[in-house]
């Protein structure tokens, strides 16, 4: 944003690679400190650091595999991993905890977010194709956007499933 200027904060990134059991393994993390911006006369602070940890390995003659992926912040927790035949990702979020600091950076006029969100997705190889399955759930949802009447529900949930086939060129 043009009128937003970073004034303070740190981003620490560490990554190392090594060979283990014939595979190249990358292991690392990313961590932010409290970050401050200046927007016009206002100082904006993002006090809750974001942390990302990962371990990825590249076996010979194979695609890279995510052994561990973790991301955490005050408002978010994400974990992911892969095996040779499957990728799994799960997330939990507190929408109000996200909306409070986000509202300092962007105008959320007319938008109110509250509630807890959970979701998971799994992509699995099956024969010559793949299967994608997932679910999501919002608890104590309170969303006001483009209307004065809020959408409030104790529980909103959805499940999805899809299959696909990978062609000879490697594309779905």
């Amino acid at each position: 944003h043009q009128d937003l200027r970073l004034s303070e904060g740190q981003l620490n990134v560490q990554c190392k690679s090594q060979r283990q059991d014939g595979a190249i393994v990358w292991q690392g993390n990313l961590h932010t400190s409290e970050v401050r911006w200046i927007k016009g006369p206002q100082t904006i602070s993002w006090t809750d650091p974001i942390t990302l940890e990962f371990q990825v390995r590249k076996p010979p003659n194979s695609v890279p595999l995510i052994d561990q992926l973790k991301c955490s912040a005050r408002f978010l927790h994400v974990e992911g991993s892969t095996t040779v035949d499957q990728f799994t990702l799960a997330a939990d979020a507190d929408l109000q905890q996200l909306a409070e600091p986000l509202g300092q950076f962007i105008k959320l006029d007319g938008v109110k977010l509250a509630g807890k969100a959970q979701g998971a997705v799994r992509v699995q190889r099956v024969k010559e194709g793949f299967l994608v399955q997932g679910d999501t759930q919002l608890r104590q949802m309170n969303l006001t956007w483009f209307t004065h009447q809020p959408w409030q529900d104790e529980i909103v949930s959805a499940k999805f499933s899809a299959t696909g086939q990978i062609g000879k060129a490697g594309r779905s």
Side-chain angles (χ1 to χ4, degrees):
H1 202 271
Q2 289 177 319
D3 63 342
L4 193 62
R5 185 172 47 95
L6 180 64
S7 66
E8 187 179 324
Q10 289 186 336
L11 172 65
N12 298 310
V13 180
Q14 296 178 345
C15 185
K16 68 178 183 175
S17 68
Q18 61 186 13
R19 191 169 289 279
Q20 281 182 354
D21 302 324
I24 297 172
V25 177
W26 296 280
Q27 192 171 30
N29 62 60
L30 175 145
H31 181 80
T32 62
S33 68
E34 180 175 351
V35 181
R36 289 196 171 111
W37 288 270
I38 296 174
K39 184 178 180 183
Q42 181 184 12
T43 299
I44 298 171
S45 221
W46 191 291
T47 57
D48 298 306
I50 296 173
T51 300
L52 174 70
E53 299 174 0
F54 64 89
Q55 180 172 309
V56 178
R57 69 186 150 95
K58 171 68 173 85
N61 304 316
S62 179
V63 297
L65 300 173
I66 301 169
D67 294 326
Q68 172 192 353
L69 174 66
K70 289 184 181 180
C71 180
S72 60
R74 178 178 71 164
F75 60 89
L76 177 69
H77 183 77
V78 178
E79 290 195 21
S81 64
T82 58
T83 64
V84 174
D85 293 323
Q86 181 173 294
F87 170 72
T88 305
L89 186 71
D92 296 304
D94 184 319
L95 301 179
Q96 186 170 351
Q97 294 287 324
L98 169 62
E100 289 170 2
L102 191 60
Q104 297 181 82
F105 297 98
I106 60 174
K107 287 186 179 184
L108 292 177
D109 297 344
V111 177
K112 180 181 177 187
L113 285 173
K116 311 272 190 223
Q118 291 180 309
V121 65
R122 184 181 71 176
V123 180
Q124 182 177 11
R125 282 190 201 180
V126 289
K127 296 184 183 178
E128 293 184 18
F130 57 91
L131 171 65
V132 179
Q133 293 177 313
D135 61 82
T136 187
Q137 187 174 79
L138 295 167
R139 293 184 171 276
Q140 290 114 23
M141 188 189 74
N142 185 350
L143 174 64
T144 303
W145 194 3
F146 299 123
T147 178
H148 296 290
Q149 182 68 26
W151 178 15
Q152 296 174 325
D153 269 305
E154 188 60 32
I155 296 176
V156 176
S157 61
K159 292 182 183 255
F160 62 90
S161 181
T163 58
Q165 193 168 30
I166 299 172
K168 290 181 181 178
R171 289 176 263 174
S172 56

